[in-house]
Amino acid sequence: MTNPNSFWQKIDAHLNNVAFYQTVFSLPFAYMAAFLAADGKPDIWVMFWITLTIVAARSAALALDNLIDLKYDVDQPRFKGRPMVAGSINKKDVYILIVLCFAVLIGSVLQLDPICIKLLPVAALPFIIYPYMKRITCFCHYVCGVAVAMAPAGGWVAVTGEISWPMIVLCVAVALWIGGFDVVYGAQDEDFDKAHGLHSMATALGAKGALLLAKITHIVTLAVFIYLGILFNLGFMYYIGVLVSAFVLYYQHRIIHIRGFGAFTREYYMRNGIVSVAIFLFTLASVYMK
């Protein structure tokens, strides 16, 4: 007889392996794109299928990333608690999860505008190639950003059935936000990456140079978000969301400057999610106050 505790422990291990809580980085922007595209009135079923699509896509992406990087992760002291490194789940389990996620992804996309399934290979490409980018280029962080930016792109196309300039602007903002954050995250691994022949902005510019680049990237991110508000003629509520995001990003950079990489805890990581939630909620408020 199967031990029910063992079953739920494996489910929990899978959720940890794909960092399910990090869905907060992508889903709010997918919702934001859908609400903007539908002028505040997206179809509830479209929102449901968008949700399943994003959750399935990023779960497959994270599982694939951890699978491909396992040979490096086992040597990384920070990752000793990761499920695959600790042995909580094995490669076979992860392969099964990836297949299931892709099945849900394809099934969900088929429920949306027909153009979505045609564009799926394009949208999936960044998260499929991302795990290999650290072996090739220091710009890997921004490939990660592009992968996450496929969430708002999907939300927009699911509603409008087309690619347009406002959607591209939103995707650029999200890609820069995530890319800059990933530069900060990767900066703590400068020595490890050099020892293993991996590429990052830290190996190219040094940790200090990488952190400076991340700051510049986030300043540009805020400028793009401001431009987005102008494009959609959003009200003052939207800009409050941008201001909240600016304070969060400033605090994130400041605390690393003061405390060093020891400040890079799970709480630090998740605090970055305030940006996506704040921008989405204040966008929603602005749309409904027009």
Side-chain angles (χ1 to χ4, degrees):
M1 183 179 294
T2 303
N3 184 347
N5 290 330
S6 176
F7 172 78
W8 290 113
Q9 286 170 356
K10 181 161 286 191
I11 293 296
D12 183 61
H14 276 297
L15 291 175
N16 285 331
N17 188 50
V18 301
F20 188 77
Y21 58 89
Q22 292 178 20
T23 307
V24 72
F25 297 154
S26 53
L27 203 52
F29 280 120
Y31 289 159
M32 175 181 171
F35 271 90
L36 286 173
D39 199 24
K41 300 175 183 178
D43 181 84
I44 189 169
W45 279 107
V46 170
M47 296 299 288
F48 172 77
W49 294 116
I50 287 174
T51 302
L52 275 188
T53 296
I54 300 304
V55 171
R58 70 160 311 282
S59 296
L62 265 292
L64 189 63
D65 185 25
N66 289 335
L67 189 64
I68 292 170
D69 279 348
L70 183 59
K71 66 178 183 179
Y72 298 111
D73 291 350
V74 294
D75 294 330
Q76 172 59 272
R78 288 194 299 107
F79 297 159
K80 64 181 180 181
R82 286 191 173 184
M84 289 192 70
V85 175
S88 304
I89 51 177
N90 56 43
K91 289 185 178 181
K92 180 181 177 181
D93 294 332
V94 176
Y95 279 122
I96 292 172
L97 178 67
I98 291 172
V99 171
L100 289 175
C101 285
F102 269 108
V104 172
L105 171 62
I106 293 170
S108 299
V109 171
L110 285 171
Q111 309 307 312
L112 298 169
D113 190 288
I115 194 177
C116 293
I117 194 66
K118 295 177 182 178
L119 291 175
L120 181 57
V122 177
L125 183 62
F127 75 70
I128 291 175
I129 67 172
Y130 166 67
Y132 299 101
M133 289 298 99
K134 286 193 74 173
R135 297 153 169 81
I136 301 172
T137 175
C138 62
F139 289 97
C140 53
H141 314 286
Y142 296 99
V143 177
C144 177
V146 171
V148 176
M150 291 301 99
W156 182 274
V157 174
V159 172
T160 66
E162 62 182 19
I163 297 172
S164 60
W165 178 245
M167 181 209 83
I168 293 173
V169 173
L170 176 55
C171 290
V172 168
V174 173
L176 290 174
W177 165 58
I178 288 293
F181 182 71
D182 199 58
V183 169
V184 177
Y185 179 77
Q188 63 187 318
D189 294 330
E190 179 184 1
D191 293 337
F192 180 88
D193 289 347
K194 285 181 177 179
H196 290 78
L198 298 173
H199 298 272
S200 69
M201 283 300 172
T203 62
L205 305 175
K208 288 185 178 180
L211 292 176
L212 176 60
L213 176 64
K215 291 175 184 177
I216 295 171
T217 299
H218 283 151
I219 290 171
V220 176
T221 298
L222 294 169
V224 177
F225 273 125
I226 291 172
Y227 174 54
L228 185 72
I230 295 171
L231 271 182
F232 283 100
N233 194 29
L234 296 172
F236 75 97
M237 289 298 292
Y238 170 77
Y239 296 100
I240 293 176
V242 175
L243 186 61
V244 170
S245 300
F247 276 118
V248 170
L249 291 173
Y250 171 78
Y251 178 78
Q252 294 286 76
H253 285 284
R254 184 63 181 167
I255 196 171
I256 289 293
H257 177 74
I258 294 173
R259 294 173 52 191
F261 293 122
F264 218 116
T265 60
R266 178 164 171 166
E267 288 73 22
Y268 177 96
Y269 201 91
M270 289 309 298
R271 198 181 296 118
N272 201 47
I274 297 173
V275 172
S276 54
V277 173
I279 293 284
F280 168 58
L281 291 179
F282 282 99
T283 297
L284 211 58
S286 179
V287 168
Y288 287 129
M289 288 178 67
K290 276 187 177 181

